[in-house]
Amino acid sequence: MATTEDPTAGVDGAGEWRRELYEAKPERQGELFSTMSGIENEPLYTPAEGAVDYERELGYPGVFPFTRGVYPSMYRGRLWTMRQFAGFGTAAETNERFRYLLEHGQTGLSTAFDMPTLMGYDSDHARSLGEVGREGVAVDSLDDMETLFDGIPLETVSTSMTINAPAAMLLAFYACVGEKQGVPISELRGTVQTDILKEYIAQKEWIFPPLPSMRLVVDMIEWCSREMPLMHPVSISGYHIREAGSTAAQELAFTLADGFAYVDACIERGMDVDDFAPRLSFFFNAHLDFFEEIAKYRAARRIWATQLRERYGAKNPRSWLMRFHTQTAGVSLTAQQPEVNLIRTAIEALAAVLGGTQSLHTNSFDEALALPTENAVRLALRTQQVIAHEVGAVNTIDPLGGSYYVEHLTNELERQAYDYFERIEKLGGVIPAIEENFMQREIAEASYRYQSEVEAKQRIIVGVNRYELEDEVPLEILRIDPALEQQQIERVQALRGRRDSAAVEQALARLTQDAAQEGRNLMEPIMDASRAYVTMGEMCDALRDVWGVWRETPVF
């Protein structure tokens, strides 16, 4: 029998190693060895646990089932898009931040909107008081969108917009800016988040009930497939599901289930799957459990490719590709010792890269306290650039592929996802499951379990429940000038005073009439309203009058 004192002798298999050597030494007590999501980890993984059918389950990059990446050359051919989230104050301030980021090497824009915009209210609405420009940029109309992208050539820049319930209006504003810049809308590139199902599940920024909201999503997908073929009309988002406290498996399963629901709805509309599926995109969280996150992305690609090919009969290989954006986990950032967030973000970003992301946002170290300063956002961007150019992570494709541990986790997360698909199907699908609070309850329970582990110090968070500092030096943070809110209110009110009132009334009447009739795609009426400088809030109010608003049954 081999011992650590006799390292030249062998052991007869993993079982003997564990019995005779590993279990002879006590494990550390008090901390959990499971993943953040609660998957139990063996002390060692061997071919028995990480066995895969190489050709069927792994294959090659750019080849079904795309476990190892969606493109044959991956980052040896082209790096991911470095797309830092930005937005605060009025459109003029955010335009300056956009220019700053582009000057420092960012390769795509990502727009954060303030809470009134997210909820479909203009800046002068009573419910907007105190929130205008606070957590993102205020955009009330095409006039604001013109200012937001002033001097930024939309024919060369890819733009992402994190907007959901009023996504159709913001997409129309963006398309109209392209028209005014002389760029055909067929050449505009970017992504609109649009994923309303995850709002009901996790983020809670909805306006209308699920069915009319799904109609708007399908309208956007159908219209973009015809008019804006380079635009991703929906980014199916697991990020906010994870931020709400889900496990990695829940993020994976609920996100893909939402994706399948959009595919079903588009097919029901009469669209061919290969006409729209190539432009569906995804958005995932990069959390701190390094290997679990990498496995999650690999499982996601394999599940999506398999389901699109075998369940939906997609014949175009581009329909099988899961292209996704990643953002490092905001929920992992701490207000205590915020500089440590630089390390957390770097590790999360590396997991996203090793998992094969197509674009990436790295959170700034001060975001647990406020919107990021210029210095903080530059360091976040530099994190991506160091990973891209200095550490060797991009020199070979899927370098962790074949790892016994990573392959075991990939298979386990895939198994758990399919188990959730079956449970959701038994409830009648995603919308009935949302109405019964199934996903919401699953996330709440996972969140409670994790927080209990943190409070029991079974999960260590550096600076929070271990290695605390008594006296921390306050961090200089970005503060939004309160005067900007009044400026934005005056701006939207001045717009109403100088526009063509008759054109506004006509556009709103058409939008209301079409919304009341099934089968009418609303994107053209919304485009016409945008050109007439109808505000986003006015359009949302017109649809509220027709469809009503959604009220959730709370989960306790």
Side-chain angles (χ1 to χ4, degrees), residues 241-281:
I241 292 171
R242 195 65 180 280
E243 292 287 286
S246 80
T247 66
Q250 289 167 349
E251 179 192 358
L252 174 64
F254 299 161
T255 305
L256 269 63
D258 289 350
F260 300 144
Y262 295 128
V263 173
D264 289 333
C266 288
I267 292 173
E268 186 177 346
R269 175 72 63 89
M271 301 174 67
D272 185 278
V273 65
D274 286 320
D275 288 341
F276 65 87
R279 301 309 294 173
L280 300 180
S281 64

Side-chain angles (χ1 to χ4, degrees), residues 100-111:
Y100 176 85
L101 289 167
L102 290 170
E103 288 169 2
H104 282 82
Q106 180 169 303
T107 54
L109 298 176
S110 183
T111 313

Side-chain angles (χ1 to χ4, degrees), residues 71-83:
Y71 299 127
S73 61
M74 287 303 288
Y75 307 136
R76 287 176 66 110
R78 192 175 101 181
L79 292 172
W80 62 92
T81 301
M82 299 180 191
R83 194 189 297 278

Side-chain angles (χ1 to χ4, degrees), residues 4-20:
T4 50
E5 286 76 29
D6 182 15
T8 61
V11 293
D12 186 14
E16 183 175 327
W17 168 83
R18 180 163 185 161
R19 288 190 307 272
E20 301 296 333

Side-chain angles (χ1 to χ4, degrees), residues 356-373:
T357 193
Q358 275 61 68
S359 68
L360 179 61
H361 164 92
T362 33
N363 289 328
S364 299
F365 72 91
D366 55 358
E367 286 190 65
L369 300 167
L371 293 175
T373 63

Side-chain angles (χ1 to χ4, degrees), residues 216-229:
L216 264 183
V217 174
V218 177
D219 285 351
M220 290 176 64
I221 295 172
E222 183 179 46
W223 187 78
C224 282
S225 69
R226 184 175 64 246
E227 305 292 340
M228 297 182 75

